[in-house]
Amino acid sequence: MDVDLLSLVSFLLLFSFIFQLVRFSRADADFTILWTELLGKTPEKELRGKVVWITGASGGIGKELACQLAKVRALLILSARREHELYQVKQKCIEQGGIPAKDILVLPLDLMDRDSHEAKVKCAIQHFGNIHILINNAGRTQRSLCVDTSLDVYKAIMELNFLGTISLTKHILPHFLEKKKGLIVTINSVSGMAGVPLSSGYCASKHALQGFFNSLRTELADTPNIIISNVLPGPVQSDIVQNAFTEELGKRVPVMTDQSYKMSTQRCVRLILVAMANNLEEVWIADQPFLAVQYLWQYTPTWARWITSKLGKRRVVNFKRGLDADAAYFTKAK
């Protein structure tokens, strides 16, 4: 009897291990969010009627967030620098989501103009009477070698991605503290936990955000209904690379990037909404092999550094030869 029971337990453990291994090979996010997507609360129920402020809403992930939130009947505040594009996003939300125009506020915002943030927050709160969720999505990436990059570029990256984000967060935080409730979602990146060649300044800004919001979460331990959620996507189909910083301010990325190997924006945003609906504090969203690399950086950083050095060397060589820096991970250097 004991032998049969031991055999059964061993079989179940082996089956579970194989099942999880196969599941991981096909996963596009960490196990917590995938199980939550299957068994947790739904965005359609939890986010309906919530006032959600999205920065960087004029394109990419921000635009898709607006469209999907409109479909679940959230009330939206759309912010970015390009006002005319925000109105295009608003119209798309009205057409696809079926929500009235009065439920969407277009609020132009420049994260680098920190003196304007207090007034913008007051305007947003006054319009709807409340803000339930802030999504810090705005930011720019980088495609340049450190040795070639002007210090002005590094300064601009930190001013926009880091200081601009925490400035807006600090101005909205008293509102959440007064209500003793709120959700702050920061769209970080795999670059917030790993080192990525050609993106040293961008990685620095994302590491800084990760440290800031992890610290802020601890400071807010006495107000457990204020949730700090860090979202770390891998490569996602968007226009972020087209607007990337290069070695000099004002210089654009010369090579159009291949998007075919990246996760669809729609799938990425759906998982972000699941995380929001279930108050998940950190989620990793990426197709393989990027998801596996995230796990390596978390649990076996020595192996992760070795793998990153091999792949990074190939990326740098191909970048110097004028190839697409992103697709260079999958292109053999000659």
Side-chain angles (χ1 to χ4, degrees), residues 182-230:
L183 173 59
I184 300 174
V185 180
T186 300
I187 308 303
N188 200 302
S189 168
V190 63
S191 302
M193 65 187 301
V196 180
L198 308 176
S199 300
S200 54
Y202 179 72
C203 287
S205 69
K206 293 300 185 178
H207 276 73
L209 285 174
Q210 188 78 345
F212 174 84
F213 283 105
N214 283 340
S215 299
L216 179 59
R217 184 187 299 113
T218 304
E219 292 183 11
L220 297 173
D222 289 337
T223 51
N225 289 325
I226 299 180
I227 307 300
I228 304 297
S229 179
N230 293 326

Side-chain angles (χ1 to χ4, degrees), residues 124-170:
I125 294 173
Q126 183 177 17
H127 185 84
F128 286 116
N130 196 1
I131 297 174
H132 298 101
I133 302 171
L134 169 65
I135 304 180
N136 289 313
N137 173 69
R140 289 176 65 185
T141 188
Q142 175 194 5
R143 290 297 180 272
S144 61
L145 291 166
C146 172
V147 68
D148 299 328
T149 304
S150 165
L151 193 60
D152 289 338
V153 170
Y154 285 111
K155 180 180 178 180
I157 292 173
M158 295 302 292
E159 289 276 353
L160 173 62
N161 293 0
F162 180 60
L163 292 175
T165 297
I166 67 172
S167 172
L168 189 65
T169 299
K170 277 176 58 63

Side-chain angles (χ1 to χ4, degrees), residues 1-14:
M1 179 67 72
D2 291 341
V3 174
D4 291 341
L5 181 59
L6 182 60
S7 298
L8 177 60
V9 171
S10 299
F11 172 77
L12 291 176
L13 289 174
L14 179 61

